[in-house]
Amino acid sequence: MGTLAFLAAKRPGRGPLNRGGPLSVVEPRGIQRLVRNVETGRFERTLSGLTAAGALVTAAEIYLEHDKASFGNPWMWAPVALGPIGAAAGIGGVFSARLAHTALPIASAAIIANGLQGTYLHLRGIAQRPGGFKELRYNVEMGPPLLAPLLVTLVGGMGILASILRREP
């Protein structure tokens, strides 16, 4: 290979992945593509899927924890029921832009509202334990988990954010 041919092969924009010339762009793959989509606000489908997974995992965990308390308050069933609804809306958002902008934000708003309600109910449960807020440290450790319902609101927040972001190509 002559000197000019060697230099032409080493120019930017040439090579086995990019045959189009000096102005063509190599499309990123794998993690680079994911990072580029996040940087440009194109994360709707991925975040919808993460919302679906998060809703299922949290609903399962909530079911186990509320079952230990024998579902003493009927409101304990609400986050368990909202989990599959959030998961269905998240899966719908992965496959349909329309569902990502309609069903997903509605389900996510319901999950957020229920998480805030759960925080209030858990705080009330701590207050009703012997000693109430006077024995705050003990009752927070032994009573209903005060911050757990806020984790549910994060799942709802992911769904709201997914509905705002742009769709990946």
Side-chain angles (χ1 to χ4, degrees), residues 73 75-76 116-126 128 144:
N73 183 336
W75 279 108
M76 289 180 164
L116 295 175
Q117 176 196 29
T119 303
Y120 166 75
L121 291 173
H122 282 210
L123 188 62
R124 191 178 76 177
I126 290 169
Q128 291 173 346

Side-chain angles (χ1 to χ4, degrees), residues 48-79:
S48 293
L50 290 172
T51 300
L56 286 177
V57 169
T58 55
E61 178 64 25
I62 290 167
Y63 174 81
L64 294 173
E65 291 300 316
H66 286 181
D67 188 46
K68 280 199 278 190
S70 301
F71 289 95
N73 183 336
W75 279 108
M76 289 180 164
W77 284 103

